[in-house]
Amino acid sequence: MADSRLFYAVTLLSCIGVVMSYSLATYITSLYNYPPLHFFLRQLIATIIGITLMWLLSRIDVDVHFKRIGVAIFLLSIILMVGMHFLPQSFVSSAGGAKRWIRLPLISLAPSELFKIGFVYFLAWSFSRKFVSDARLSIKDEIKIFIPYLMLFIVAVVLIAVLQNDLGQVVLLALTLGVMLLFAGGSLRLLGIIFLSTLSAALIAIVTSPHRILRVKSWWASAQDSVLALLPYGWAENLRISGLPEPYQIYHAANAMSSGGFLGAGLGDGFIKLGFLSDVHTDIILAGIAEELGFIGLFAIICLYGYILLRIFRIANRVQNKMYYLFCVGVALLIGFSLIINAFGISGITPVKGIAVPFLSYGGSSLIANCLAIGLVLGISKQIQS
């Protein structure tokens, strides 16, 4: 029997996202003259589709269908990511001049969201054949084995970071790849080499892009006082940047979290959504929740995430098949790292990356993709020996 507690926890979190999409989209609904229930209904439809798919996948025989579904998601997402750049402008939506969404009648599909699930499936399938072994490999042999994964990751960098101008998703995939490698049996030496290589590539991506340089400088301008206070005065002054305002999103997100206090302003009574940050229902949703539901509401949601991750890791720990084990670990890492990257960004700890909060942020593609992943995990949970 599938893990019903995981199913109900994800369903509850998704329903909270629907409610918050209605509450936090007040200003942008009025600004663009949308019907009052525009974002609510679209997110509700996506949630119904996602929960239905999650329930259907929880009932499949994973020994028969898991590989077929995983391969289909992986290949379809790559085809869509490549193909959407050849579609007419009327069929795609853009952000910062880069095509990221394919327009459908009810939702806009972001192929990169599906690719993350397919990427985790591919790593689980391949790592279970290459790295899960009792034999100790030399670092040279590990590097040889890892080269095909590096090539796949480079393809992901080109498709997402270059063509879609979305470095945040690549950072998420890199973190997931590295930690999954450890769970699969890769050595810390190999992980160190991967980390240094990824860091070098990220630095190149930043220094060759003026808007990324400005984003990093703006972040440092807001975070420098806390960091430089720990350094000697001379060093601190050399590293200090002046003349740059605090990043707009971080400034208003911090104000929202501060004004929310312990109990919050009340559902629907927040001010951050009234033109200060018009898209609060998307990537900045945690700040909106903190303002309207307060610390206690945000803490309850974080606890719900913790419970979901605990259930997934419990399934991974108890399943015997190595591929299923690694897939569950990968799904938990995607959810956990997405939450951490988003929370660190809006709190000013790291630069804002534009990563959606799983199940909460407005957006059908992210919600449905995550529900697909959880559905497969639920199917795997039936393999656990009671």
Side-chain angles (χ1 to χ4, degrees), residues 319-335:
V319 74
Q320 300 298 314
N321 186 294
K322 295 298 183 182
M323 179 175 62
Y324 299 161
Y325 158 76
L326 288 173
F327 181 80
C328 291
V329 168
V331 170
L333 292 174
L334 278 180
I335 295 172

Side-chain angles (χ1 to χ4, degrees), residues 2 16 34 63 75 87 170 218 230-231 237 280 293:
I16 293 172
Y34 291 137
D63 289 333
L75 295 180
L87 292 175
V170 172
S218 298
L230 304 175
L231 300 178
E237 289 306 307
V280 187
L293 303 183

Side-chain angles (χ1 to χ4, degrees), residues 255-265 289-298:
N255 284 343
M257 291 185 283
S258 176
S259 64
F262 189 75
L263 296 177
I289 290 173
E291 183 183 28
E292 297 198 350
L293 303 183
F295 170 80
I296 191 169
L298 184 61

Side-chain angles (χ1 to χ4, degrees), residues 100-333:
R100 292 187 183 178
W101 297 276
I102 299 174
R103 293 176 182 169
L104 298 177
L106 295 177
I107 63 172
S108 293
L109 176 65
S112 60
E113 296 292 343
L114 281 177
F115 177 75
K116 290 188 291 188
I117 310 304
F119 183 75
V120 165
Y121 163 76
F122 175 80
L123 293 182
W125 169 77
S126 190
F127 280 171
S128 65
R129 299 166 61 246
K130 298 289 186 179
F131 279 98
V132 177
S133 173
D134 294 329
R136 292 183 59 86
L137 300 174
S138 66
I139 187 63
K140 183 177 179 181
D141 291 333
E142 284 189 309
I143 292 175
K144 287 181 180 179
I145 293 175
F146 185 74
I147 287 176
Y149 304 104
L150 177 62
M151 301 305 296
L152 173 63
F153 185 72
I154 291 173
V155 170
V157 170
V158 172
L159 290 176
I160 300 175
V162 177
L163 295 181
Q164 298 186 27
N165 195 26
D166 191 353
L167 185 60
Q169 297 287 5
V170 172
V171 171
L172 175 61
L173 292 177
L175 290 171
T176 303
L177 170 61
V179 180
M180 279 188 71
L181 182 61
L182 278 183
F183 276 93
S187 68
L188 287 173
R189 296 173 302 172
L190 178 60
L191 184 62
I193 293 173
I194 296 170
F195 174 77
L196 292 175
S197 301
T198 304
L199 182 61
S200 301
L203 289 174
I204 292 173
I206 291 171
V207 300
T208 56
S209 174
H211 88 274
R212 291 193 182 118
I213 293 175
L214 180 59
R215 180 178 293 184
V216 171
K217 285 183 176 180
S218 298
W219 163 76
W220 179 246
S222 65
Q224 62 185 351
D225 289 339
S226 300
V227 178
L228 297 181
L230 304 175
L231 300 178
Y233 178 80
W235 293 8
E237 289 306 307
N238 288 331
L239 294 173
R240 188 175 300 279
I241 294 178
S242 59
L244 285 178
E246 188 170 8
Y248 184 85
Q249 288 180 315
I250 295 176
Y251 174 77
H252 288 294
N255 284 343
M257 291 185 283
S258 176
S259 64
F262 189 75
L263 296 177
L267 186 64
D269 291 334
F271 289 97
I272 187 180
K273 62 192 178 187
L274 302 178
F276 298 102
L277 284 175
S278 57
D279 292 327
V280 187
H281 58 300
T282 57
D283 301 338
I284 318 293
I285 193 168
L286 291 179
I289 290 173
E291 183 183 28
E292 297 198 350
L293 303 183
F295 170 80
I296 191 169
L298 184 61
F299 180 74
I301 287 174
I302 297 301
C303 287
L304 187 55
Y305 273 109
Y307 182 74
I308 289 171
L309 295 178
L310 181 64
R311 300 301 301 181
I312 298 175
F313 277 119
R314 178 180 176 272
I315 294 168
N317 189 51
R318 298 181 63 182
V319 74
Q320 300 298 314
N321 186 294
K322 295 298 183 182
M323 179 175 62
Y324 299 161
Y325 158 76
L326 288 173
F327 181 80
C328 291
V329 168
V331 170
L333 292 174

